[in-house]
Amino acid sequence: MERLQQLMFGHGLLVILVAMLAGFMLMFNLLGGVEIWPGTIVEIPMYGTAAGWVRAHTGGALNGVLVIIVALALPKLNLGAFAQKFTAYGLIYSAWAFTVFYWLGNASSNRGLSIGPSALGEPDMIGLIAFLPGLPSVVIVPIVLFLCAKGALSR
């Protein structure tokens, strides 16, 4: 269990680090570049929208925090060995898959929310790469949260 916790702490912190970098991307997007001196902004070519960078910043941070919180709770949950591994690796995978989704979805013509055409736009390769890794996560995360809640309430 200690090894699983260590992995979850490390990956949770790395996901939060990437989310903090998305905060810089948000700032650069809002300013149109980087301010190197008060009132002097060097333009940086940017992709995405401010709203997309807000989602990458806050969503990524919360996903990393979720991984860390569950890692801290793991010893208190009544989970078998398989459920512990599924929880740890499932949350690590999902946190990274959602991180990829946030960053690439912001560059996609349809926000990476569908494989085919939608109200948001036509599909593209970037959207497909954003969408597909996150797809298993929409099943994994609810299962993991259910297992954890059941384990917490069964004591």
Side-chain angles (χ1 to χ4, degrees):
M1 182 181 310
E2 272 186 50
R3 180 66 184 140
L4 293 175
Q5 285 181 293
Q6 282 182 300
L7 284 170
M8 293 174 80
F9 290 142
H11 283 277
L13 290 167
L14 289 172
V15 167
I16 293 170
L17 173 64
V18 173
M20 295 301 108
L21 296 176
F24 284 113
M25 298 296 279
L26 170 61
M27 180 178 65
F28 300 153
N29 186 281
L30 291 171
L31 293 175
V34 61
E35 187 173 40
I36 58 168
W37 189 259
T40 306
I41 296 176
V42 175
E43 289 186 28
I44 297 176
M46 287 291 301
Y47 72 91
T49 64
W53 289 117
V54 167
R55 288 188 289 271
H57 180 56
T58 57
L62 287 173
N63 282 322
V65 168
L66 173 65
V67 175
I68 292 169
I69 287 173
V70 173
L72 290 169
L74 205 55
K76 299 289 185 185
L77 304 175
N78 189 19
L79 298 176
F82 176 80
Q84 286 177 5
K85 286 181 182 178
F86 184 79
T87 295
Y89 292 117
L91 285 181
I92 290 168
Y93 171 82
S94 296
W96 283 115
F98 287 144
T99 297
V100 168
F101 167 76
Y102 290 132
W103 281 71
L104 294 182
N106 202 18
S108 172
S109 59
N110 68 359
R111 296 187 197 161
L113 289 171
S114 65
I115 294 174
S118 71
L120 296 171
E122 293 295 316
D124 58 20
M125 187 57 68
I126 294 172
L128 185 65
I129 296 169
F131 179 82
L132 289 178
L135 190 57
S137 298
V138 300
V139 175
I140 292 169
V141 171
I143 291 170
V144 163
L145 293 175
F146 175 78
L147 287 173
C148 291
K150 184 179 174 202
L153 296 172
S154 70
R155 287 194 154 230

